[in-house]
Amino acid sequence: MRVLGIESSCDDTAAAVYDSSSGLLSNVVSSQVPVHSLYGGVVPELASREHIRSVVPIIERALAEAGSGRKDIDGVAVTAGPGLIGSLLVGLCFAKSLAYSWGKPLYGADHLEAHIFSIFLETEVEFPFLALLVSGGHTSLFRVSGWEEVSFLGGTLDDAAGEAFDKAAKLLGLGYPGGAAIDRIAQEGDPGRFAFPRAWLAPGSADFSFSGLKTSLRVFLSTPEGKERRVEDIAASFQEAVVDVLVGKTLQAAKREGVPRVVLAGGVSANTRLRRRAGEDGSREGIAVYLPSRSLCTDNAAMVALLGERRLSAGRASGPELNAYAASRFSR
Ligand code: KG4
Ligand code: ZN
């Protein structure tokens, strides 16, 4: 089965083609960074308008790169949620019309599930595993026991990890989007130079909290010491506080659940320090850590096409009532 995947949940318009036997045939992402960087963050209305402009050329490119036309495509998968509702609706309405006019089945993918299974584009992972999804909107831990069995173990009580990185970068004057900028500059800094707080929460809790850390950085930057210090050291110390909690809590949860495999997913899992620490700490604890390639960590449609291929193959097509949703469907 060959599936066209479409993703427009936030500020990237993406399309990809995945084939059951040949794997990923194309993966095209159009970034809107230049549009939003002027404002220091994603402006939802502008994002929707950019999606309208890009959706057709991006899909045409993905089909052309995959050497595929209407007759080669067996199904269409599209991100239905969660995300920015205006952005989601552009991709969803287009996908629905395309599937209807081509007479192909449609699958409405959950963006979080698509991230969680993105590792399967490169590696087969044995079930069950724990998935840490760290992105601009989510910091969540899941137990994944099969393609249809994803259960939520915990999530952030306030800011997501990516949001914490982006807000810290703004405070440090590193521009937008901030995660990759902190990652880069922190490589020149000392992660042990400043002791920012780590919110471990109650023992055994799989929840996260990053708002206190962000406040602590803001307060520190207003002190004479904070004003004088090297931004590289501050970025590295801030990043270390985030990474300590992400890695520590994930490995604790894996041990509690008796699951010796962990998968990382989402934009923040592109972070160099997080990738290194997860691998090192995991091997010390006897837990295998799986990391998607960096380009598959951030938003893409390859993961949507793959999830669509699995679900459509299992006979789980969506009906014409499929609609977009803004909030996560996962809760305890
Ligand atoms: O998964 P994603 O592309 O979109 C969402 O679904 O949110 O994640 C975007 C987030 C942003 O907050 C961005 O700053 C962060 O991922 N990010 C990073 C890195 N690359 C992207 N955070 C830390 N280090 C990175 N290298
Ligand atoms: Zn995402």
Side-chain angles (χ1 to χ4, degrees):
M1 168 175 269
R2 189 170 291 191
V3 174
L4 167 68
I6 302 170
E7 151 68 38
S8 70
S9 66
C10 190
D11 63 335
D12 291 310
T13 320
V17 177
Y18 182 83
D19 184 278
S20 312
S21 34
S22 330
L24 189 60
L25 298 178
S26 67
N27 183 20
V28 182
V29 182
S30 164
S31 163
Q32 300 180 2
V33 166
V35 175
H36 302 289
S37 56
L38 265 172
Y39 306 94
V42 177
V43 182
E45 185 53 34
L46 294 183
S48 315
R49 287 185 215 168
E50 286 303 310
H51 286 308
I52 290 170
R53 262 187 215 116
S54 310
V55 71
V56 172
I58 292 302
I59 290 171
E60 282 178 340
R61 228 178 93 196
L63 289 169
E65 285 181 17
S68 301
R70 169 187 183 155
K71 63 179 187 325
D72 311 300
I73 298 293
D74 303 305
V76 178
V78 62
T79 303
L84 299 172
I85 201 74
S87 291
L88 287 162
L89 282 169
V90 177
L92 186 82
C93 292
F94 190 86
K96 266 181 142 174
S97 318
L98 191 68
Y100 181 73
S101 64
W102 283 6
K104 310 286 178 181
L106 174 71
Y107 179 71
D110 183 275
H111 184 75
L112 308 188
E113 284 193 301
H115 269 303
I116 290 169
F117 290 109
S118 57
I119 188 73
F120 286 82
L121 287 161
E122 300 174 302
T123 319
E124 288 289 318
V125 182
E126 197 185 320
F127 294 112
F129 60 83
L130 245 62
L132 171 71
L133 171 57
V134 271
S135 69
H138 303 274
T139 302
S140 307
L141 266 172
F142 299 90
R143 183 189 170 105
V144 185
S145 307
W147 278 91
E148 305 284 340
E149 295 167 71
V150 179
S151 54
F152 180 80
L153 300 176
T156 184
L157 303 175
D158 39 60
D159 291 353
E163 198 180 349
F165 269 107
D166 293 339
K167 288 176 176 170
K170 207 166 182 175
L171 288 170
L172 293 170
L174 297 176
Y176 160 87
I182 292 199
D183 185 347
R184 217 166 25 247
I185 197 169
Q187 291 176 33
E188 311 297 320
D190 172 6
R193 180 70 187 80
F194 304 108
F196 287 113
R198 275 88 167 140
W200 293 106
L201 307 179
S205 162
D207 287 330
F208 298 87
S209 167
F210 294 106
S211 65
L213 170 63
K214 174 191 64 190
T215 307
S216 144
L217 173 66
R218 183 153 44 78
V219 170
F220 175 73
L221 290 175
S222 67
T223 63
E225 193 192 13
K227 283 184 180 133
E228 273 169 29
R229 299 304 168 173
R230 287 176 75 228
V231 67
E232 290 86 349
D233 291 338
I234 301 174
S237 302
F238 174 88
Q239 176 178 266
E240 201 64 6
V242 177
V243 168
D244 267 353
V245 172
L246 291 178
V247 174
K249 279 183 158 271
T250 303
L251 296 181
Q252 277 170 17
K255 282 196 268 179
R256 237 182 0 256
E257 294 283 321
V259 171
R261 286 169 291 277
V262 164
V263 165
L264 263 53
V268 179
S269 61
N271 183 268
T272 312
R273 185 73 180 157
L274 175 62
R275 295 169 80 87
R276 181 172 325 140
R277 284 280 312 278
E280 286 171 4
D281 295 10
S283 73
R284 205 178 314 121
E285 305 279 350
I287 294 172
V289 174
Y290 295 86
L291 302 162
S293 299
R294 281 192 160 84
S295 63
L296 295 173
C297 291
T298 45
D299 284 348
N300 64 82
M303 63 187 192
V304 177
L306 168 69
L307 184 62
E309 183 269 332
R310 294 293 157 114
R311 296 275 161 88
L312 288 172
S313 300
R316 288 209 31 215
S318 306
E321 71 289 351
L322 176 69
N323 206 352
Y325 52 95
S328 173
R329 291 190 156 171
F330 287 99
S331 59
R332 251 166 303 259

